[in-house]
């Protein structure tokens, strides 16, 4: 993948988030304050507006998007998604081309950043429950010899499954944790948005 592909990803993710903003906010209304979809919509719009030209390396595309998301997305998820993108961008460095191995390293760096900042583990009913299985599935696909598109598709599928698996969990981090046992039986909105954003990456990688 090159810079333009990563810019396409941010643009496509912004479109999917905009289309699903009401659904994501409704999920957040069930166990939070009902702002998640519209928070992210604002952040991703800002990210699209902040994208550098295609002569910037792919890492810089993600860093610029991450900065915009931190500054424009409210709530807990803004700093978490912003950190994820900036860490991924830093992991890519100044290389002009992103191969399957480099993208896997970036995905892992994003997960590490989210966990350092938010201190959530798997099972806490957060975006980590989508992102961690995605990073693992990516690595497994890579080890099996899949190409970049195959690895990203495996990651996106694992994120979707991981998000569904948050339904029976009790939230232990973020606003939903205030509900205690009443958080059980609901899909975590941040896990749902992570699955959506990774499905956007799989769509873009599949076109290449
Ligand atoms: P807020 O809860 O501040 O209103 P959002 O509604 O935008 O923020 O985002 C809520 C989502 O953020 C949750 O569904 C969860 O996935 C994620 N989240 C919250 N706290 C954490 C955390 N400590 N670590 C990882 N993800 C978190
Ligand atoms: Mg919220």
């Amino acid at each position: 993948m090159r810079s333009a592909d990563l810019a396409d990803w941010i643009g496509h993710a912004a479109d999917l988030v905009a289309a699903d903003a009401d659904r994501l906010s409704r999920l957040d209304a069930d166990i939070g304050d009902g702002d998640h979809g519209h928070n992210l919509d604002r952040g991703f719009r800002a990210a699209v507006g902040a994208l550098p030209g295609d002569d910037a390396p792919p890492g810089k595309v993600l860093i610029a998007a991450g900065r915009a998301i931190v500054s424009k997305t409210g709530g807990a998820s803004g700093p978490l998604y912003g950190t994820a993108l900036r860490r991924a961008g830093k992991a890519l460095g100044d290389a002009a081309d992103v191969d399957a191995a480099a993208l896997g390293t970036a995905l892992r760096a994003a997960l590490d950043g989210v966990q350092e900042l938010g201190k959530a583990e798997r099972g806490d009913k957060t975006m980590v429950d989508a992102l961690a299985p995605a990073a693992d599935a990516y690595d497994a696909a890579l080890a099996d010899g899949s190409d970049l598109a195959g690895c990203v598709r495996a990651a996106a599928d694992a994120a979707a499954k991981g998000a569904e698996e948050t339904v029976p969990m009790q939230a232990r981090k973020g606003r939903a944790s205030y509900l205690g046992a009443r958080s059980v039986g609901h899909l975590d909105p941040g896990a749902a948005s992570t699955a959506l954003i990774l499905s956007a990456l799989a769509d873009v990688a599949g076109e290449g």
Side-chain angles (χ1 to χ4, degrees):
M1 293 183 105
R2 302 184 72 85
S3 255
D5 302 311
L6 290 170
D8 283 351
W9 170 38
I10 299 299
H12 185 40
D15 290 343
L16 294 188
V17 166
D20 254 5
D22 288 343
R23 178 182 72 97
L24 294 170
S25 284
R26 271 200 304 275
L27 292 175
D28 192 32
D30 289 338
I31 55 170
D33 57 355
D35 62 356
H36 184 61
H38 296 89
N39 271 343
L40 260 196
D41 183 25
R42 196 164 52 242
F44 268 88
R45 270 177 218 267
V48 169
L51 292 175
D54 290 348
D55 49 340
K60 290 280 189 302
V61 170
L62 298 189
I63 290 170
R67 280 206 190 111
I69 284 178
V70 170
S71 71
K72 287 287 186 303
T73 310
S77 64
L80 291 163
Y81 275 124
T83 297
L85 284 164
R86 285 184 309 182
R87 287 288 191 94
K90 275 193 202 155
L92 295 179
D94 287 329
D97 197 49
V98 179
D99 65 12
L103 192 59
T105 304
L107 186 59
R108 181 69 56 185
L111 170 64
D112 290 346
V114 166
Q115 290 197 283
E116 270 171 43
L117 182 63
K119 312 280 181 235
E121 299 294 334
R122 267 186 211 217
D124 286 348
K125 196 179 183 97
T126 72
M127 61 176 72
V128 169
D129 292 305
L131 198 51
D136 286 352
Y138 191 104
D139 289 347
L142 188 67
D144 278 350
S146 292
D147 64 2
L148 186 147
C151 292
V152 178
R153 179 44 69 193
D157 289 349
K161 185 164 172 281
E164 284 304 322
E165 287 171 1
T166 64
V167 172
M169 293 175 185
Q170 176 168 334
R172 285 193 293 253
K173 282 285 181 292
R175 213 177 271 281
S177 66
Y178 308 157
L179 291 182
R182 280 185 294 138
S183 64
V184 172
H186 299 279
L187 182 62
D188 177 65
S193 59
T194 293
L196 191 65
I197 292 163
L198 288 174
S199 78
L201 185 59
D203 289 345
V204 168
E207 285 164 6

